[in-house]
Amino acid sequence: MRKIVLMMSVSLDGYIEGPDHDISWHRVDDEVHRDANDAVRQLGGILSGRVTHELMAGFWTTADAEPEASAPVAEFAAIWRNIPKYVYSRTLQHADWNTTIVRDVVPEEVTALKEQAGGDLGLGGADLAASFLRHGLVDALRLYVHPVLIGRGTPLFPATTATTTPLHLTETEIFGNGVALLRYDVLHE
């Protein structure tokens, strides 16, 4: 069965973005980007909320057409456009780029999606992740911890995810720019 893998960049103090969706503090260089590309390339799909999807679609649909785009950026643009995407939204009416709109997180529907053939499913967005965690649907975490404190913004784990979730560390990697990759399996009890 496929796994749901929460994949996020996070500040050392636990935020995925600053105020107004600011991610300028991300330390994604070519080395980190290539690692993320390799991880996403192996996925069978991406699960995200509307805001995350719209931010991604606003950039990645044409990022490789920019003359200053690095090779990893251009590569990810093609990966993002082609991978199946599932956007959880009650308001979104239409989405392009191989995207299916899903209205609610229904555990039985997510389990059916996990039972389909293909690679694991990457999960992004704090609110959607909180919902998946509440339902016990997250199987693994792949976190890029950036060596920066931003002090405020959107926390990776909102207070609404106050349940204890035991984890098992499966991999660590430190990149040249100080970003640390932490991979955990969720221990479902």
Side-chain angles (χ1 to χ4, degrees):
M1 183 180 301
R2 303 197 285 186
K3 292 182 179 182
I4 303 289
V5 181
L6 174 57
M7 302 176 72
M8 296 294 293
S9 280
V10 60
S11 66
L12 187 58
D13 53 349
Y15 296 99
I16 61 168
E17 63 184 7
D20 299 320
H21 307 293
D22 176 33
I23 59 170
S24 63
W25 51 269
H26 281 193
R27 306 264 171 100
V28 179
D29 61 8
D30 285 354
E31 180 187 24
V32 172
H33 216 302
R34 281 190 298 274
D35 185 80
N37 289 359
D38 291 344
V40 174
R41 184 183 299 106
Q42 296 175 35
L43 295 174
I46 296 174
L47 313 170
S48 64
R50 179 191 55 80
V51 172
T52 299
H53 176 76
E54 288 178 341
L55 288 169
M56 297 290 283
F59 182 77
W60 292 112
T61 55
T62 59
D64 52 347
E66 298 297 323
E68 69 277 357
S70 69
V73 166
E75 180 183 41
F76 187 80
I79 294 168
W80 187 87
R81 283 193 303 266
N82 292 323
I83 195 168
K85 289 169 279 302
Y86 302 87
V87 178
Y88 286 79
S89 172
R90 293 187 182 120
T91 59
L92 192 63
Q93 297 302 313
H94 175 77
D96 292 319
W97 306 106
N98 201 15
T99 303
T100 300
I101 299 171
V102 182
R103 295 295 174 210
D104 292 295
V105 177
V106 178
E108 297 78 15
E109 292 175 4
V110 174
T111 299
L113 185 60
K114 288 171 62 171
E115 290 173 345
Q116 294 177 9
D120 291 341
L121 301 165
L123 173 64
D127 291 338
L128 187 60
S131 180
F132 271 66
L133 285 164
R134 271 194 308 278
H135 290 294
L137 297 169
V138 176
D139 302 299
L141 290 86
R142 182 182 182 89
L143 305 177
Y144 292 94
V145 181
H146 296 254
V148 62
L149 304 173
I150 64 170
R152 61 192 177 109
T154 304
L156 174 58
F157 301 110
T160 58
T161 60
T163 60
T164 299
T165 304
L167 306 172
H168 173 72
L169 183 65
T170 60
E171 179 185 355
T172 62
E173 183 174 349
I174 306 297
F175 297 98
N177 65 2
V179 170
L181 170 64
L182 303 176
R183 289 185 55 203
Y184 295 92
D185 283 339
V186 175
L187 301 176
H188 295 288
E189 297 179 340

